[in-house]
Amino acid sequence: MVSTPTRSRGKEPDAGDSGSQRTSAQRTKAKQPVRLRGHVRKFWEALEGRSKAPNSSTYYLILGCAMALTAIGVMMVLSASSVEAISEGKSPYADALKQAAFGVMGLIAMYVISRTNVNWMKRLSWWGFGIVVVLLVLVQVIGNSVNGNRNWVDIGGITIQPSEIAKLALCVWIAAVLARKEKYLTSWWHVIIPVIPGAGLVIVLVMLGNDLGTVIVIAAIMVAALYFAGVPARMLAIVGLIGAAGATAGTLSSANRICRITSWLGNPSATCTEQFDFDFQSTNGMYGLAQGSWTGLGLGQSRQKYNWLPEAHNDFIFAIIGEELGLVGTLVVLVLFAILGIAIFRVVVRQTDPFQRTLAGGIMVWLLGQASMNMGVVTQLLPVIGVPLPFISYGGSALVMSLCGVGVVLSLARGQLPPQQRPGFIPGRSPKAARKRTRTS
């Protein structure tokens, strides 16, 4: 009996073993992309926090960063505004006390919102949007103008800035609208109506007040909401192109805005230098950062705040932080915003409800995007755009609404935890009592 020859299960060698076998260097080179992808995957998992069971660390990171930034803001407003207040015959503590009062109001509102289910905002989203539109119209009719921007209106003896209220109201309204249309977001008609006209109306009303910085923030909120709601990328790209075209047209339609761009590029015209001189503000802001060096001149020892730096306690307060607290102080602020952004991002990626995911994503882009714009302006990475630094710059409306936005995110972070782990549970009480308390909240 002749046995039938069989083929070996091993790999057949090709002609010339030396040509078929890879060298160790080639194998190492092939492994490098795999290792790089592994490191990126591990970093992304750590960023999202998906590899660990939900715990209250995200909640306390958001709460701690918001409170720390608010405290830094009150302290720096006192330092940056005291000299100018004395020169105007006011108390050196006037602006700081106002900021502290608004901070307390904001913290109370943040706590109340964090203990509620934010789905109630969905039912009131259209009412909130309507109120914001009415307030923005009132600004153009009876509003106050400061430094060429008409953003404020007096209601019952209280001055408010409706454009700051519009940021949170738009986050809620767009999230509510897109959540109802979740199954139809592949259709152009459902994506555009009513989000684009509604946000466009708010943008036009704010633009009438010459506040380009707030317009950019609102546009970023709208695009972020569309992204987190799941709108296809091709539609987002077209919306982005339309927004870029609108921003270009808005810039070219104003001599003031053109001068901001040309001054930033280092080629201002003689007319720009005579009428606006944006170089003065940005240059003195850089002087403040340079004088601060590594550790700063000391708290309260700024020289630029002696009427050299316009808006020292407002849009350019980051320069005062760098001058008085140095690179160390600016890095502390940067790290706090970075931690806040990572913690909010964890809340966003863990959301399964479309309304809550879109709402948290819009708030994240609002706070972190505005902070990046402000610090970019102070460090001359961007042209001079009037946007405050969230939690830190002087302004009651901005501070209260920023803390309310944090309260919304805290509510979402709290809702992701088991009842017995939710903040507010007092050790010594039974988990049953804790669950009962959280249900009623």
Side-chain angles (χ1 to χ4, degrees):
M1 182 176 177
V2 180
S3 62
T4 305
T6 58
R7 298 179 62 183
S8 172
R9 295 184 181 179
K11 182 180 179 182
E12 256 187 85
D14 295 335
D17 291 342
S18 60
S20 62
Q21 294 181 356
R22 293 186 301 176
T23 64
S24 59
Q26 290 174 325
R27 288 194 296 269
T28 302
K29 187 176 180 180
K31 290 179 180 178
Q32 286 177 352
V34 177
R35 291 177 180 174
L36 180 61
R37 286 195 296 269
H39 290 314
V40 172
R41 189 180 298 111
K42 289 180 181 179
F43 171 77
W44 193 257
E45 289 177 353
L47 188 66
E48 292 180 338
R50 289 178 172 178
S51 58
K52 298 180 181 179
N55 55 60
S56 58
S57 61
T58 299
Y59 178 95
Y60 287 113
L61 283 174
I62 297 172
L63 177 62
C65 289
M67 294 184 68
L69 288 168
T70 303
I72 292 173
V74 174
M75 177 181 68
M76 293 312 303
V77 166
L78 172 61
S79 176
S81 65
S82 57
V83 172
E84 188 173 344
I86 292 174
S87 67
E88 295 175 355
K90 300 188 299 184
S91 168
Y93 306 104
D95 292 336
L97 289 175
K98 287 182 181 179
Q99 187 77 351
F102 281 112
V104 171
M105 292 170 54
L107 290 172
I108 294 173
M110 180 185 72
Y111 176 81
V112 172
I113 295 173
S114 69
R115 287 299 188 270
T116 64
N117 188 333
V118 296
N119 284 330
W120 63 269
M121 293 184 173
K122 186 189 303 184
R123 297 189 292 270
L124 300 178
S125 58
W126 279 96
W127 286 98
F129 177 78
I131 292 172
V132 163
V133 171
V134 171
L135 290 175
L136 289 174
V137 172
L138 287 177
V139 168
Q140 302 307 317
V141 177
I142 60 172
N144 303 325
S145 181
V146 178
N147 296 329
N149 288 357
R150 184 181 292 273
N151 290 336
W152 296 266
V153 63
D154 293 329
I155 298 179
I158 300 176
T159 302
I160 63 174
Q161 189 173 356
S163 59
E164 292 295 333
I165 303 174
K167 295 173 184 176
L168 180 58
L170 273 180
C171 287
V172 176
W173 178 71
I174 296 176
V177 170
L178 294 179
R180 294 189 184 99
K181 295 189 171 189
E182 183 183 12
K183 298 179 181 179
Y184 309 102
L185 294 182
T186 56
S187 169
W188 274 104
W189 181 258
H190 287 284
V191 170
I192 294 175
I193 306 296
V195 170
I196 304 299
L201 175 61
V202 173
I203 287 174
V204 169
L205 290 173
V206 175
M207 198 69 177
L208 290 175
N210 296 320
D211 192 355
L212 180 61
T214 301
V215 166
I216 295 174
V217 174
I218 291 174
I221 290 172
M222 179 186 68
V223 175
L226 292 173
Y227 171 78
F228 287 109
V231 173
R234 66 181 185 278
M235 296 185 183
L236 284 176
I238 295 175
V239 170
L241 290 175
I242 295 173
T248 303
T251 301
L252 296 177
S253 64
S254 170
N256 180 292
R257 300 183 193 111
I258 293 175
C259 287
R260 291 173 187 262
I261 302 295
T262 56
S263 298
W264 174 60
L265 295 175
N267 188 28
S269 64
T271 304
C272 290
T273 305
E274 292 174 1
Q275 292 184 359
F276 305 109
D277 196 11
F278 293 109
D279 283 339
F280 180 82
Q281 189 175 25
S282 58
T283 300
N284 279 281
M286 291 299 290
Y287 283 163
L289 293 173
Q291 288 178 146
S293 187
W294 291 94
T295 56
L297 302 177
L299 188 62
Q301 301 302 313
S302 168
R303 299 165 186 169
Q304 298 302 117
K305 68 184 180 182
Y306 282 82
N307 293 324
W308 284 103
L309 181 60
E311 303 298 326
H313 63 299
N314 197 348
D315 295 348
F316 273 74
I317 197 169
F318 189 69
I320 304 300
I321 294 175
E323 185 180 10
E324 295 188 349
L325 304 179
L327 179 64
V328 175
T330 58
L331 288 179
V332 168
V333 173
L334 282 171
V335 169
L336 286 173
F337 274 112
I339 295 174
L340 179 65
I342 292 172
I344 297 178
F345 181 73
R346 288 186 174 185
V347 175
V348 173
V349 297
R350 287 175 175 170
Q351 290 295 335
T352 56
D353 180 76
F355 169 73
Q356 297 180 359
R357 181 180 63 250
T358 306
L359 177 58
I363 292 173
M364 179 183 69
V365 171
W366 158 30
L367 296 177
L368 275 296
Q370 185 169 315
S372 301
M373 287 176 58
N374 178 276
M375 290 183 280
V377 168
V378 174
T379 56
Q380 292 190 355
L381 296 175
L382 295 172
V384 176
I385 303 173
V387 291
L389 185 59
F391 308 105
I392 297 179
S393 292
Y394 176 76
S397 299
L399 179 58
V400 171
M401 298 316 299
S402 296
L403 290 172
C404 286
V406 172
V408 172
V409 180
L410 287 175
S411 174
L412 298 176
R414 190 167 178 266
Q416 293 173 349
L417 299 174
Q420 64 273 17
Q421 294 184 11
R422 292 177 184 174
F425 171 65
I426 302 175
R429 293 189 180 182
S430 64
K432 181 178 180 181
R435 286 193 295 270
K436 181 178 180 181
R437 186 169 65 257
T438 54
R439 282 197 298 269
T440 57
S441 65

